[in-house]
Amino acid sequence: MVATYAKNGYPEEALHLFYRMKQMGYQPNQFTFSSVLPAFVNLADLKQIHQDIIIGGFESNVFVGSALVDMYGKCGCLQDARHIFDKMPERNVISWTAMIAGYAQNGFVEDAWELFEKMPVRDVVSWTAIIAGYVQNGYFDEALRLFQQMQVTGVKPSAETFASILSSCSGLAAMEEGKKIHECVIRNGFQFDVFVANALVNFYAKCGSIKDACKMFDRMSRRDVVSWNVMIGGYAMHGYGKEALQLFEEMRNSNITPDLVTFIGVLSACCHAGLVDDGCQYFQWMSRDYHLEPEMEHYCCMVDLLGRTGCLHQAYNFINGMPIKPTAAVWASLLGACKIHNNIELGKFVAKQLFELDPEGVAPYVLLANMYAVEQRWDDLEKTKKLMNERKSTKKLGCSWIEVNKQVHVFIAGDRSHA
């Protein structure tokens, strides 16, 4: 029963049953521990059950040890995870993969790769873990090379592998490479897998082919909330605000409950379409109808919506009424709107908020300087430039990708390697 609850996404019930079992005098064995460990997301609880495992003499069990490595990695405790991994008298593919995933999930890609190279045996799960790690950390080129290397070794990709590598193609906007992987998906029979289909919709949308994204979405025999979110977000991203909102209504009529991500797409769609009243209504729906607590990105969307449509003071009052402290991104949205509508006085005040929150950021100085230039306020322009130099604010180097002759090239500002 403990294993059934844990495997089917009921961690609280699994923990409750585990503790109840102990209270009744039943001693957990290696199967109990390896089943219940994935339910422990709290570090203090994880440490406690680790003690129980040591007392019971199960730490050296390969399945229990692997589960411990996995959970310490997910909690960000890599030293503990590595200590257990190194002490294990016997390791299997699961043990190695758990440690590799732990490193990758916490940003230590080089350590993950070093361990991956030492693996005595690799299967599709371990290949997928290292590929996903590179994708999650933004190493899209390297992830593609690893995917090709995996295929050369004769390991067949899984649905999870395809979903990860398609995310890499989305990040690079590598349309031709992604189309090849789509063909590979069909050859391997994963085109009807909802996880892979979602990744394909996302890939086509991110690459600018909203028509292909829509085709993929329409062909899906089964859709989950992610499917709807990706398509709504795709429409919003490309300025199809009304289509995004129509799809949102279809989603509601399909008895799929919207989540926080859904409303980011919906509010972004309202922003692109300039639908202030609709945006305000949807924002109210979040907490009133769906009991969702808006997060910073939702507030940012609302400020952007109000600001773009010229409701600058309404946007300012909205920020002041926020129940959480606004971040630099929220104030930056309003400053951008001040520049669009050339409201220098409000822009100066907003810029001051940004200077305090992000002293080294260059964007507020540049936007403020541009506003002064438009109004030909040269003294204020020079003061802003001087202040920027005194604080040593420098613009980060721009980076972009382009696909030429079916090959992805990376360009960095000032880089002449492609000249």
Side-chain angles (χ1 to χ4, degrees), residues 173-336:
M175 177 65 89
E176 291 304 318
E177 194 64 43
K179 282 183 175 178
K180 286 181 189 174
I181 291 167
H182 189 175
E183 291 170 5
C184 193
V185 165
I186 294 168
R187 284 198 304 272
N188 284 271
F190 287 112
Q191 66 271 33
F192 300 113
D193 182 278
V194 68
F195 195 49
V196 177
N198 289 342
L200 281 165
V201 173
N202 184 57
F203 157 69
Y204 282 116
K206 291 275 179 70
C207 287
S209 183
I210 201 70
K211 188 177 177 181
D212 287 320
C214 193
K215 278 182 184 176
M216 274 302 309
F217 181 80
D218 289 340
R219 287 175 189 163
M220 292 177 72
S221 56
R222 186 171 71 87
R223 300 177 187 135
D224 59 11
V225 67
V226 176
S227 316
W228 293 92
N229 288 350
V230 168
M231 196 64 237
I232 289 168
Y235 274 135
M237 185 195 311
H238 294 288
Y240 295 98
K242 290 182 179 178
E243 289 82 354
L245 298 181
Q246 285 171 3
L247 196 64
F248 176 61
E249 290 305 318
E250 283 183 42
M251 176 186 184
R252 294 176 67 224
N253 292 333
S254 301
N255 295 320
I256 300 290
T257 305
D259 61 11
L260 289 167
V261 178
T262 314
F263 280 100
I264 290 172
V266 168
L267 294 173
S268 296
C270 292
C271 190
H272 286 294
L275 303 171
V276 177
D277 292 339
D278 290 305
C280 291
Q281 182 186 53
Y282 291 132
F283 186 79
Q284 288 176 351
W285 281 8
M286 286 184 67
S287 53
R288 189 189 69 196
D289 297 349
Y290 295 102
H291 310 291
L292 295 169
E293 196 67 36
E295 295 182 348
M296 197 61 71
E297 200 164 352
H298 301 97
Y299 288 109
C300 202
C301 284
M302 283 302 297
V303 171
D304 199 22
L305 170 61
L306 294 167
R308 282 195 194 201
T309 51
C311 307
L312 298 180
H313 290 286
Q314 193 178 340
Y316 173 70
N317 291 333
F318 180 84
I319 293 174
N320 283 335
M322 285 172 56
I324 51 178
K325 187 179 179 180
T327 60
V330 175
W331 287 112
S333 290
L334 182 53
L335 183 59

Side-chain angles (χ1 to χ4, degrees), residues 30-42:
Q30 66 267 34
F31 303 109
T32 319
F33 282 123
S34 58
S35 297
V36 80
L37 271 167
F40 284 87
V41 291
N42 181 285

